[in-house]
């Protein structure tokens, strides 16, 4: 099967330009990318990032972010950030081919505030809308940045924990969390410790864990291909309340335990699909200890780990633009009445038209 | 990488001639001719194969903290051994436990199965491929039907004892010769690494569903018939034990799981 990526190109057009708008959680990100015509899987046709602007809403220590507050934050910032992204990209508005927005999954209120902005821009500038699945955005950006062609994807963030592999035009979920996401587990632990939420609770736990060294036994809950983390959280919260252990050791043990579980299910998925590439995406993917453990595992399988840095791991607008531009080039078009966003939008619901 | 792991297991078990037969994400399986503790001239009693033994080894995972790794290896290896012992006491056909070294992650068990005429091991997968080569009349003949029904029966035996296998595929099912002269087989389940105790209908239905999917992907030509026979066999034990209501629950849930069909659909 040969895919044609350029049915929508006008005569003489050399580039596609997409504006991506992300706001599924506490970050609002607007990104603009430019992609040359021709097969995007060809390394010579890499996307060029014109701008990648992000603003993060941080809750005070000891608290999580509330949907209402995040939505207000996004509404306050969206116009300024779009304007900044466009001026930084040095493009004219009529050069933009499509406006891509996160259609889900995520928190309802923040999602909605960004979707409204996207619809407004689309109607105002008469540019087609493209709805993008947040997880697929992460995967496509990871593939684009690292050049991994068919990896097993570990998607770990504050709201999602999934092991994904591509098969027959879907990103299929191999294993996932049965309750809370790994990032959520870390965030909530940070709340118990009352440590700062800036730049992110996970980052602060990672720094504390570097100072710890004593391993405290925690429940290890891999259930086949899936995992469960709420019990571990409850267990370690209780340990914290008793105040018998050093905070650094608790952080260290929690990371060791959670990440070992993630690496284990990833390894299982790799054995199953016979792949030796792993791509780590999502906010928790920035964690150096997770990357290190993954590297050790993959070395034993003679494979490669592909990881990105915080610009692309953490939610951003560019990734939405990247997945959206591919959808657009394959003929995708989201009518205003279909642009309703959803908190529940599974990765495997997306039909991946742009891969064979 | 497997070289280092094999060196490690050879260090733990010196003087055993280990032949690697399969390698998964979690464990390596070897065959050896030497019994772990009996002298050469005493043959173990109660085993179908007294000359070959299986050694299942869960290697250290260097990415895990040592303490965590030991905890996991120990509990999983011991758990699997306990389950094998339980199956034996329930008279369910599965490899018999011979020896256990939980700290090193090693289980010794009975060798089940034989060599097919084409030289391959008699897993259900290999056997089905073998008879599929012989032509359609063999592939969906009486023997195939009998074997598939036995498979269903064996799974039902497990489920009626509130045990779920957790990783049923056609390579985790083994044919055992019942007679030297004619083609008569019994069926044993192997690899209980992901098994657990469960009385949930959901777990049982998912167990069957996983096998159905595995059959569809490895034997696509006749999988529909195979799955039908499988369920016939499964049903037959439930009706023998007069557990028709339990069967209906599983059947209904299985239909729902099939519709859901998105989780664990990555087989093959």
């Amino acid at each position: 099967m040969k895919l044609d990526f350029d049915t929508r190109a006008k005569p003489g057009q050399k580039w596609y330009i997409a504006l991506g708008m992300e706001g599924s959680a506490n970050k609002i990100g607007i990104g603009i990318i430019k992609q040359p015509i021709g097969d995007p899987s060809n390394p010579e046709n890499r996307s060029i990032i014109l701008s990648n602007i992000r603003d993060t809403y941080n809750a005070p220590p000891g608290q999580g972010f509330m949907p209402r507050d995040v939505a207000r934050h996004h509404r306050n910032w969206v116009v300024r950030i779009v304007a900044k992204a466009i001026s930084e990209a040095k493009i004219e508005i009529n050069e933009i081919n499509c406006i891509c927005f996160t259609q889900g999954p995520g928190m309802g209120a923040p999602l909605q505030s960004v979707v409204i902005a996207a619809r407004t821009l689309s109607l105002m500038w008469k540019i087609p809308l493209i709805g993008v699945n947040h997880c697929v955005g992460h995967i496509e950006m990871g593939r684009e940045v690292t050049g991994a062609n068919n990896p097993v994807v570990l998607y770990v963030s504050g709201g999602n924990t999934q092991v994904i592999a591509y098969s027959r035009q879907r990103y299929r979920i191999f294993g996932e969390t049965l309750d809370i996401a790994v990032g959520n587990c870390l965030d909530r632990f940070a709340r118990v410790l009352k440590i700062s939420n800036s730049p992110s609770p996970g980052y602060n736990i990672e720094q504390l864990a570097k100072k710890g060294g004593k391993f405290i036994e925690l429940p290890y809950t891999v259930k086949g291909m899936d995992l469960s983390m709420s019990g571990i959280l409850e267990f370690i919260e209780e340990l914290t309340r008793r105040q018998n252990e050093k905070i650094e050791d608790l952080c260290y043990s929690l990371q060791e335990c959670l990440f070992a579980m993630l690496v284990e299910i990833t390894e299982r998925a790799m054995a199953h699909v016979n792949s030796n590439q792993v791509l780590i995406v999502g906010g928790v993917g920035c964690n150096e200890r997770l990357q290190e453990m993954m590297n050790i595992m993959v070395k034993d399988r003679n494979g490669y780990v592909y990881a990105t840095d915080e610009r692309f791991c953490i939610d951003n607008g560019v990734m939405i633009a990247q997945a959206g531009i591919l959808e657009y080039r394959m003929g995708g078009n989201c009518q205003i009445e279909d642009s309703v966003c959803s908190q529940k939008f599974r990765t495997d619901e997306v039909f991946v038209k742009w891969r064979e | 990488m497997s070289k280092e792991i094999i060196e490690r297991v050879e260090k733990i078990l010196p003087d055993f001639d280990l032949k690697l037969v399969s390698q998964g994400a979690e464990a390596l399986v070897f065959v050896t001719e030497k019994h772990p503790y009996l002298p050469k001239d005493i043959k173990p009693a109660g085993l179908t194969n007294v000359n070959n033994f299986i050694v299942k080894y869960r290697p250290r995972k260097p990415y895990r903290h040592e303490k965590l790794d030991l905890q996991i290896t120990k509990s999983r290896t011991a758990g699997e051994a306990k389950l094998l012992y339980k199956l034996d006491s329930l008279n369910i056909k599965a490899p018999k436990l011979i020896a256990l070294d939980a700290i090193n992650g090693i289980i010794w068990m009975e060798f089940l199965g034989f060599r097919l005429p084409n030289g391959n091991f008699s897993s259900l997968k290999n056997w089905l491929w073998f008879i599929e080569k012989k032509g359609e009349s063999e592939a969906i003949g009486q023997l195939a039907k009998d074997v598939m029904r036995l498979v269903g029966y064996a799974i039902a035996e497990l489920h009626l004892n509130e045990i779920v296998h957790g990783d049923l595929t056609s390579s985790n099912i083994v044919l055992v010769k019942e007679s030297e002269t004619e083609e008569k087989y019994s069926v044993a389940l192997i690899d209980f690494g992901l098994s657990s105790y469960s009385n949930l209908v959901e777990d049982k239905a998912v167990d069957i569903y996983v096998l159905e999917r595995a059959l569809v992907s490895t034997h696509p030509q006749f999988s529909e018939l195979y799955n039908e026979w499988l369920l016939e066999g499964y049903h037959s034990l439930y009706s023998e034990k007069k557990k028709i209501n339990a069967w209906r629950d599983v059947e209904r849930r299985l239909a729902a799981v099939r519709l859901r069909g998105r989780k664990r659909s990555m087989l093959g």
Side-chain angles (χ1 to χ4, degrees):
Chain A
M1 186 177 60
K2 191 86 186 95
L3 297 173
D4 186 0
F5 286 92
D6 296 317
T7 49
R8 283 181 115 161
K10 295 190 191 83
Q13 183 176 346
K14 288 197 183 108
W15 301 95
Y16 295 91
I17 293 181
L19 174 86
M21 306 176 71
E22 149 68 25
S24 62
N26 67 334
K27 294 158 198 86
I28 178 163
I30 309 291
I32 299 177
I33 60 163
K34 177 160 121 166
Q35 201 172 60
I37 59 167
D39 185 356
S41 61
N42 184 338
E44 285 167 17
N45 291 339
R46 284 280 166 80
S47 302
I48 298 164
I49 294 159
L50 300 177
S51 61
N52 184 11
I53 316 283
R54 173 168 58 210
D55 195 82
T56 307
Y57 169 78
N58 283 322
Q63 286 180 25
F65 51 83
M66 307 277 200
R68 182 185 50 196
D69 301 334
V70 179
R72 190 170 56 222
H73 166 267
H74 288 5
R75 282 199 300 274
N76 283 341
W77 280 93
V78 66
V79 173
R80 273 176 278 179
I81 293 185
V82 169
K84 194 173 168 202
I86 290 175
S87 73
E88 198 170 287
K90 300 195 181 63
I91 52 163
E92 296 297 324
I93 283 162
N94 60 17
E95 288 179 274
I96 299 174
N97 292 93
C98 58
I99 293 176
C100 317
F101 66 97
T102 310
Q103 202 159 14
M107 280 182 157
L111 269 178
Q112 216 151 28
S113 54
V114 175
V115 174
I116 288 171
R119 284 187 202 127
T120 313
L121 293 180
S122 162
L123 289 173
M124 204 164 69
W125 294 339
K126 301 196 173 55
I127 297 172
L129 268 181
I130 304 283
V132 173
N133 180 300
H134 183 85
C135 314
V136 173
H138 270 297
I139 299 170
E140 288 306 335
M141 199 63 214
R143 286 179 57 225
E144 180 69 26
V145 172
T146 61
N149 57 18
N150 189 19
V152 167
V153 184
L154 177 66
Y155 173 30
V156 275
S157 68
N160 294 281
T161 302
Q162 298 176 340
V163 179
I164 301 160
Y166 175 80
S167 156
R168 280 170 285 143
Q169 306 219 291
R170 302 243 177 219
Y171 286 112
R172 292 177 201 265
I173 301 173
F174 226 97
E176 61 185 323
T177 174
L178 298 169
D179 37 56
I180 59 173
V182 58
N184 193 233
C185 184
L186 293 169
D187 289 355
R188 280 158 74 173
F189 182 56
R191 251 176 258 168
V192 178
L193 299 179
K194 295 231 169 31
I195 57 178
S196 164
N197 282 330
S198 173
S200 75
Y203 178 81
N204 293 330
I205 289 184
E206 185 183 353
Q207 302 316 314
L208 283 169
K210 281 181 185 162
K211 294 179 205 139
K214 180 184 160 205
F215 182 74
I216 302 155
E217 269 187 38
L218 299 172
Y220 187 89
T221 41
V222 170
K223 318 237 167 190
M225 297 279 192
D226 297 331
L227 26 98
S228 152
M229 279 165 288
S230 58
I232 301 176
L233 178 65
E234 184 55 38
F235 190 92
I236 198 158
E237 282 182 357
E238 182 57 35
L239 285 182
T240 317
R241 271 182 233 119
R242 287 188 197 160
Q243 298 189 325
N244 289 335
E245 306 282 358
K246 270 174 38 200
I247 285 178
E248 287 82 2
D249 291 338
L250 287 170
C251 290
Y252 170 76
S253 307
L254 181 63
Q255 278 200 22
E256 288 297 314
C257 184
L258 291 178
F259 296 165
M261 286 163 50
L262 293 174
V263 176
E264 182 180 347
I265 59 168
T266 310
E267 183 174 17
R268 222 171 260 168
M270 287 172 79
H272 220 115
V273 297
N274 253 334
S275 163
N276 65 353
Q277 300 180 326
V278 182
L279 172 66
I280 312 178
V281 298
V284 184
C286 297
N287 191 299
E288 283 168 6
R289 177 62 185 145
L290 176 60
Q291 293 182 3
E292 182 191 340
M293 284 165 85
M294 198 60 89
N295 263 312
I296 299 172
M297 181 273 281
V298 164
K299 210 177 84 202
D300 271 358
R301 306 188 70 87
N302 301 322
Y304 304 93
V305 177
Y306 296 93
T308 54
D309 59 32
E310 52 83 33
R311 284 173 302 164
F312 307 112
C313 255
I314 297 173
D315 293 350
N316 58 77
V318 176
M319 66 182 208
I320 301 299
Q322 169 70 16
I325 212 168
L326 293 168
E327 171 87 23
Y328 171 80
R329 292 179 65 179
M330 299 309 290
N333 194 355
C334 180
Q335 299 300 324
I336 293 284
E337 52 269 35
D338 301 326
S339 65
V340 181
C341 57
S342 161
Q343 285 157 285
K344 293 181 181 166
F345 185 6
R346 283 179 69 85
T347 318
D348 48 10
E349 280 172 43
V350 180
F351 183 71
V352 182
K353 291 180 215 135
W354 53 89
R355 285 185 71 176
E356 283 170 28
Chain B
M1 72 110 173
S2 58
K3 224 179 110 192
E4 283 168 32
I5 297 177
I6 289 171
E7 275 167 18
R8 213 174 302 142
V9 68
E10 278 167 350
K11 221 184 229 170
I12 304 170
L13 301 171
D15 311 327
F16 285 90
D17 189 19
L18 299 172
K19 256 197 320 223
L20 183 70
V21 286
S22 96
Q23 178 175 15
E26 206 191 317
L28 284 81
V29 177
F30 300 90
V31 176
T32 180
E33 292 178 358
K34 197 167 147 190
H35 193 276
Y37 47 83
L38 284 180
K40 232 183 189 159
D41 44 342
I42 301 179
K43 290 295 173 196
L47 301 185
T48 50
N49 187 334
V50 293
N51 297 316
N52 288 297
F53 311 100
I54 294 283
V55 177
K56 182 169 178 178
Y57 172 55
R58 286 185 164 79
R60 258 225 74 197
K61 294 286 178 191
Y63 61 82
R64 283 201 285 242
H65 189 283
E66 217 170 312
K67 224 167 134 186
L68 178 65
D69 193 61
L70 186 66
Q71 170 199 340
I72 294 167
T73 310
K74 220 166 93 180
S75 72
R76 288 200 182 149
T77 314
E80 189 179 348
K82 275 182 207 156
L83 201 88
L84 289 181
Y85 176 73
K86 172 92 182 170
L87 292 174
D88 186 40
S89 64
L90 290 169
N91 244 337
I92 296 176
K93 196 144 183 128
K96 286 200 179 93
L97 179 66
I98 297 174
L100 166 67
D101 177 357
I103 293 190
N104 284 318
I106 293 176
I107 299 183
W108 293 75
M109 53 186 135
E110 182 183 15
F111 184 105
L112 289 176
F114 59 96
R115 295 253 155 243
L116 294 169
N118 65 6
N120 288 336
F121 177 67
S122 68
S123 67
L124 180 68
K125 177 165 90 178
N126 287 340
W127 184 75
L128 286 177
W129 277 342
F130 172 67
I131 58 166
E132 273 165 26
K133 278 241 173 70
K134 287 195 191 165
E136 190 171 329
S137 60
E138 281 274 338
I140 51 174
Q142 189 58 40
L143 191 60
K145 186 173 179 175
D146 289 345
V147 166
M148 286 317 293
R149 293 184 67 150
L150 280 176
V151 172
Y153 195 88
I155 299 169
E157 264 188 314
L158 218 58
H159 286 182
L160 281 173
N161 284 298
E162 315 296 3
I163 298 167
V164 288
H165 185 281
D167 188 21
L168 283 173
T169 65
S170 48
S171 33
N172 281 341
I173 298 167
V174 173
L175 268 61
V176 182
K177 248 189 193 152
E178 285 296 292
S179 145
E180 281 304 319
T181 47
E182 49 182 333
E183 281 192 309
K184 197 163 173 291
Y185 304 119
S186 62
V187 160
L189 305 179
I190 60 167
D191 191 359
F192 289 86
L194 287 177
S195 305
S196 57
Y197 290 93
S198 167
N199 54 8
L200 297 179
V201 182
E202 167 78 15
D203 290 347
K204 295 175 187 174
V206 167
D207 227 15
I208 303 174
Y209 176 70
V210 167
L211 179 58
E212 274 188 2
R213 298 283 313 184
L215 285 171
V216 170
S217 61
T218 44
H219 316 281
Q221 221 182 334
F222 307 112
S223 60
E224 220 167 285
L225 268 178
Y226 293 159
N227 284 333
E228 192 187 313
W229 294 332
L230 179 90
L231 283 182
E232 270 176 36
Y234 188 84
H235 177 203
S236 71
L237 182 67
Y238 275 76
S239 49
E240 246 174 60
K241 301 265 178 197
K242 305 220 164 23
K243 302 250 167 128
I244 288 302
N245 283 336
W247 152 250
R248 288 220 179 91
D249 288 344
V250 176
E251 190 188 27
R252 214 173 297 136
R253 186 59 69 97
L254 182 60
V257 172
R258 278 198 203 110
L259 273 184
R260 228 185 294 155
R262 62 173 176 219
K263 283 187 82 180
R264 300 165 201 280
S265 60
M266 273 304 303
L267 295 144

